[in-house]
Amino acid sequence: MKLLILDSPDEVASWSAKYVAKRINESKPSRDRYFVLGLPTGGTPLGMYRKLIELHKKGKVSFQYVVTFNMDEYVNLPKTHSQSYHYFMYDNFFKHIDIDPKNVHILDGTVSDLKSECSDYEKKIKQIGGFDLFIGGIGADGHIAFNEPGSSLVSRTRVKTLTDDTREANARFFDNDISQVPREALTVGVGTVMDAREVMILITGSHKAFALYKAIEEGVNHMWTISAFQLHPNTLMVCDEDATLELKVKTVKYFKNLNPHELINSDSNASIKS
Ligand code: PGA
């Protein structure tokens, strides 16, 4: 696992957007070989989406041959609701780029058969050949997608009950009223993300520092589902200074040797520290 420590959330946004553009461009996607991207919602990736839109508008990256799968969606929240992840993704990203809507996949939490919705999602991911790059964030409780503490580390796409912590954290998007936050969500599993050929996790802010410490310095544990990525062969965590507050000084010092320019300019598999 690599940890790239940048100064600020703004730098995390710019660096990660450049990295995504670089990975898409170097894979030279075409109608015969699409680039398959896993995408998150939430406050953390917003800056990256803005920067990717800028790069697209400058002609630096096209999404014409990119297929996306979002990591999660609330159950029973209409797609038109301003806090649904359908709405979030179209509003903040898809409507500003040249992606073909038929290449966008987001779980539908409003269907009657949620189980089939989840198993069909897994089938579609498999049919297209799996993820080239999965981008994620983490919750303060260490969840990846909505894989809450105690989730199986080999889980697949399914319905999850959200913890009170997650609902409280997300109440900020629902008029600070926790009763409006859905109790369940559909989410890709930890195993679904672990199958990606490459994973990039964005972490910003001191409120995520303890989760980052659990992810990096402690063992693999289903109570901190992000820690599973210690067993992934190609995971890059990109964080800001504030997110490192719970790490040991020597851990920070070690990972600070990672050169962000080298990572952007080199082959992503050529790890400096892995
Ligand atoms: P956030 O959410 O980016 O809004 O902090 C991340 C998450 O809960 O996975």
Side-chain angles (χ1 to χ4, degrees):
M1 185 192 283
K2 301 185 208 83
L3 174 67
L4 179 62
I5 303 167
L6 299 170
D7 286 346
S8 65
D10 235 30
E11 278 196 27
V12 170
S14 302
W15 191 91
S16 56
K18 274 192 211 148
Y19 190 74
V20 173
K22 165 194 137 87
R23 298 292 288 119
I24 293 171
N25 289 336
E26 72 189 6
S27 85
K28 300 192 173 53
S30 67
R31 69 180 78 248
D32 304 318
R33 169 70 179 92
Y34 280 74
F35 188 86
V36 185
L37 191 57
L39 293 174
T41 53
T44 314
L46 262 180
M48 176 192 73
Y49 288 137
R50 285 191 196 117
K51 300 278 179 189
L52 272 172
I53 294 164
E54 277 174 27
L55 290 175
H56 169 66
K57 296 215 150 110
K58 286 184 190 156
K60 306 251 185 227
V61 65
S62 164
F63 296 84
Q64 191 184 3
Y65 298 119
V66 174
V67 169
T68 64
F69 288 84
N70 262 81
M71 45 170 48
D72 42 24
E73 177 58 288
Y74 291 115
V75 168
N76 270 337
L77 201 62
K79 290 179 191 174
T80 49
H81 190 288
S82 64
Q83 293 312 322
S84 80
Y85 292 163
H86 279 80
Y87 188 97
F88 176 103
M89 289 308 298
Y90 278 92
D91 201 42
N92 291 302
F93 193 40
F94 296 143
K95 77 176 186 196
H96 307 283
I97 58 170
D98 62 343
I99 196 159
D100 185 337
K102 78 172 175 358
N103 293 328
V104 167
H105 302 86
I106 305 178
L107 286 155
D108 186 347
T110 63
V111 295
S112 54
D113 188 351
L114 294 173
K115 238 177 149 177
S116 300
E117 175 68 11
C118 294
S119 56
D120 288 351
Y121 208 62
E122 285 281 338
K123 272 184 218 144
K124 280 184 213 151
I125 294 166
K126 204 168 175 190
Q127 265 161 14
I128 199 143
F131 291 103
D132 291 299
L133 175 63
F134 208 119
I135 305 166
I138 61 173
D141 63 359
H143 68 216
I144 163 92
F146 274 134
N147 294 286
E148 300 286 32
S151 293
S152 160
L153 299 184
V154 293
S155 49
R156 312 304 304 190
T157 305
R158 68 211 184 291
V159 184
K160 274 303 284 185
T161 302
L162 302 180
T163 61
D164 288 346
D165 284 349
T166 295
R167 292 181 63 238
E168 252 167 49
N170 289 2
R172 69 192 195 274
F173 301 119
F174 291 83
D175 305 325
N176 287 316
D177 176 4
I178 192 170
S179 72
Q180 289 184 41
V181 184
R183 291 179 183 277
E184 288 181 324
L186 303 185
T187 179
V188 295
V190 181
T192 318
V193 186
M194 284 287 284
D195 284 350
R197 287 180 278 287
E198 183 174 10
V199 177
M200 179 168 74
I201 307 287
L202 310 180
I203 310 122
T204 57
S206 56
H207 61 303
K208 302 283 176 75
F210 195 68
L212 184 62
Y213 150 70
K214 286 284 183 180
I216 302 269
E217 290 188 354
E218 296 245 310
V220 173
N221 184 327
H222 68 169
M223 295 312 286
W224 298 86
T225 53
I226 187 63
S227 65
F229 290 84
Q230 292 176 20
L231 299 176
H232 188 275
N234 195 11
T235 289
L236 170 64
M237 303 220 172
V238 187
C239 73
D240 67 350
E241 281 281 347
D242 284 353
T244 67
L245 288 177
E246 297 283 348
L247 297 181
K248 290 194 182 83
V249 172
K250 72 176 179 185
T251 307
V252 173
K253 224 171 153 189
Y254 175 76
F255 282 112
K256 278 222 167 157
N257 289 331
L258 268 189
N259 181 333
H261 305 294
E262 231 169 277
L263 267 179
I264 280 276
N265 295 324
S266 70
D267 183 281
S268 69
N269 291 320
S271 71
I272 300 160
K273 308 239 181 230
S274 60

